[in-house]
Amino acid sequence: WMVMGPEALFRMVGMQQPPSWANTLNENAIQLGILLFLLLPQMVGRYTQTGAFELYLDGETVFSKLAEGRFPNGDELLGLFRDAGLKFKGA
């Protein structure tokens, strides 16, 4: 987000112009980065302590760490989403 900017990011998903809130986030990128740096570890820590990591798409389980006994890697996640019918622009 902070490297690409909102224009390029939203163009990748087919939008010609980013919404106004995206420009506001871009104008406050440093504050957003600090906030994420402080909050994300807290949020991730809460969910990884339970051992649960599950992805759902339209109410169906796409991946379950509890069932598989492991975390998925990036390529596996993309494959799961493609198998579910999601299309990625530019990929």
Side-chain angles (χ1 to χ4, degrees), residues 55-63 80-86:
L55 296 175
Y56 296 92
L57 181 63
D58 294 332
E60 293 186 33
T61 304
V62 176
F63 185 88
L80 290 168
F81 290 132
R82 282 191 187 103
D83 294 345
L86 293 177

Side-chain angles (χ1 to χ4, degrees), residues 7-84:
E7 293 85 12
L9 184 65
F10 282 96
R11 258 188 247 118
M12 285 175 51
V13 294
M15 295 176 70
Q16 293 299 321
Q17 194 171 13
S20 60
W21 59 264
N23 290 324
T24 302
L25 289 178
N26 195 47
E27 291 168 2
N28 298 300
I30 292 177
Q31 294 90 333
L32 177 64
I34 292 170
L35 179 70
L36 291 175
F37 178 78
L38 295 173
L39 288 181
L40 279 179
Q42 299 297 320
M43 293 168 57
V44 169
R46 181 173 302 162
Y47 290 109
T48 56
Q49 288 176 356
T50 65
F53 179 81
E54 296 185 338
L55 296 175
Y56 296 92
L57 181 63
D58 294 332
E60 293 186 33
T61 304
V62 176
F63 185 88
S64 171
K65 178 187 173 261
L66 296 175
E68 297 286 330
R70 62 181 176 76
F71 280 103
N73 62 37
D75 291 333
E76 183 178 11
L77 281 176
L78 289 175
L80 290 168
F81 290 132
R82 282 191 187 103
D83 294 345

